[in-house]
Amino acid sequence: MNFKKRIDREEIMDHTTIELEPLAAAYRDINRSNELLGGYSATFKTLRKLIATARSSGPVRILDMGCGDGGMLRYLAERFRKLNITVEFLGLDLNSDALVLARENSREYQEITFGCANILEYHGEALRYDYVLCTLTLHHFSDHDIPRVISVCQSCCDRAVIINDLHRSKTAYYLFKIFSAIFIRSAIAINDGLISIRRAFRKRELQELSKKFPNWEHKIKWHWAYRYIWVIKKKRPTPS
Ligand SMILES: C[S@@+](CC[C@H](N)C(=O)[O-])C[C@H]1O[C@@H](n2cnc3c(N)ncnc32)[C@H](O)[C@@H]1O
């Protein structure tokens, strides 16, 4: 199997109308993987550091592009409640069934709201967010559309865009096969998890992409297990 290039294959979640229960099962498995394989904590630690170094008054505003069933936002809401940091979250997703699950699962979280939007057609310039997240979502897009996704995230972001996505590697692929045999129940999550790794990124590719956005600061860091966190920070204007 060749991992040199991103493969051009859709995930089941992207091209099929899935009944609500199998969709819920797939998101439960994605959430378990995020929890056990460090996906949630990598985003949380990155955000916590950024928030600690930013001076701000009022609630921190966070937008999650491609929020799925809202698992990441509930995780972050719990962590920030413990730190007594007030946060307002908005999760956007293209899949209205995912949003049914997200609203149902997030009833205890008044700080989280959800909306339906296609990232590629989103015009959010009027709404401002301190941080814009894009977790396990960038790899769903073609090489052609990825710069547009990043521009859209930047267009409504005042501080930093945080991309959390997978590292495309043979080791990650076979480790996920072992992990999924033990921890994943949904056939959709197993199929899509393996495709996701093959659609994911090498550091060099993210570095090349970052050159398309020279007016922003870029930091790309590898995290266990086989993730990249790419922080795209708004450059401060230099004092004249
Ligand atoms: C693998 S899930 C990731 C969910 C969540 N962010 C997480 O980390 O667990 C990818 C999500 O991206 C959403 N998505 C894919 N294409 C999209 C688009 N064009 N606009 C908005 N959401 C999209 C899918 O519906 C799906 O919920």
Side-chain angles (χ1 to χ4, degrees):
M1 199 174 288
N2 191 337
F3 288 83
K4 281 192 179 136
K5 286 191 174 159
R6 302 183 66 215
I7 58 161
D8 181 16
R9 193 186 302 170
E10 283 192 326
E11 298 179 31
I12 295 172
M13 285 174 89
D14 282 335
H15 69 90
T16 318
T17 309
I18 307 169
E19 296 286 314
L20 205 58
E21 185 36 46
L23 184 68
Y27 281 120
R28 278 197 296 274
D29 278 336
I30 293 173
N31 293 345
R32 189 175 308 114
S33 308
N34 270 325
E35 183 98 46
L36 296 175
L37 297 176
Y40 285 156
S41 66
T43 294
F44 169 64
K45 284 178 189 159
T46 305
L47 258 176
R48 189 182 53 187
K49 251 190 223 164
L50 288 167
I51 290 171
T53 54
R55 266 190 247 137
S56 72
S57 57
V60 179
R61 296 148 306 155
I62 296 177
L63 171 61
D64 187 9
M65 294 289 206
C67 62
D69 82 337
M72 169 68 85
L73 295 182
R74 289 188 294 281
Y75 177 93
L76 294 174
E78 289 288 347
R79 294 297 178 287
F80 285 116
R81 281 178 184 185
K82 283 185 186 139
L83 293 173
N84 272 326
I85 295 175
T86 310
V87 184
E88 288 170 4
F89 298 97
L90 172 65
L92 295 178
D93 204 285
L94 179 63
N95 184 336
S96 53
D97 284 341
L99 296 168
V100 169
L101 300 169
R103 292 192 176 104
E104 176 73 23
N105 295 340
S106 309
R107 282 206 201 134
E108 313 282 310
Y109 300 85
Q110 284 152 358
E111 64 269 57
I112 309 178
T113 51
F114 294 98
C116 194
N118 181 346
I119 299 170
L120 291 173
E121 291 161 11
Y122 185 66
H123 293 283
E125 291 90 344
L127 300 170
R128 307 304 307 167
Y129 296 88
D130 297 303
Y131 302 98
V132 178
L133 312 179
C134 188
T135 301
L136 296 186
T137 298
L138 196 67
H139 71 255
H140 285 255
F141 293 88
S142 64
D143 289 346
H144 175 266
D145 285 338
I146 283 175
R148 167 90 191 130
V149 173
I150 294 165
S151 294
V152 169
C153 291
Q154 290 171 329
S155 69
C156 46
C157 172
D158 282 340
R159 294 188 188 279
V161 175
I162 302 170
I163 311 263
N164 174 338
D165 218 307
L166 302 169
H167 171 189
R168 187 177 75 249
S169 102
K170 198 183 267 188
T171 312
Y173 185 86
Y174 288 105
L175 281 178
F176 184 75
K177 278 202 160 200
I178 297 167
F179 176 85
S180 59
I182 304 166
F183 294 105
I184 305 274
R185 293 175 190 98
S186 144
I188 297 173
I190 295 176
N191 175 79
D192 285 4
L194 292 170
I195 292 179
S196 296
I197 294 168
R198 300 182 67 198
R199 286 189 63 85
F201 306 98
R202 296 251 164 107
K203 188 170 189 176
R204 176 182 31 83
E205 293 160 353
L206 298 178
Q207 283 167 334
E208 280 306 309
L209 267 168
S210 73
K211 290 180 188 160
K212 292 187 190 286
F213 306 96
N215 297 327
W216 294 67
E217 282 171 26
H218 299 270
K219 204 176 203 175
I220 300 164
K221 195 173 165 205
W222 191 89
H223 287 250
W224 174 256
Y226 289 85
R227 296 264 180 153
Y228 283 112
I229 297 279
W230 175 13
V231 177
I232 306 173
K233 223 170 153 184
K234 198 160 201 171
K235 276 188 187 165
R236 295 218 184 125
T238 40
S240 49

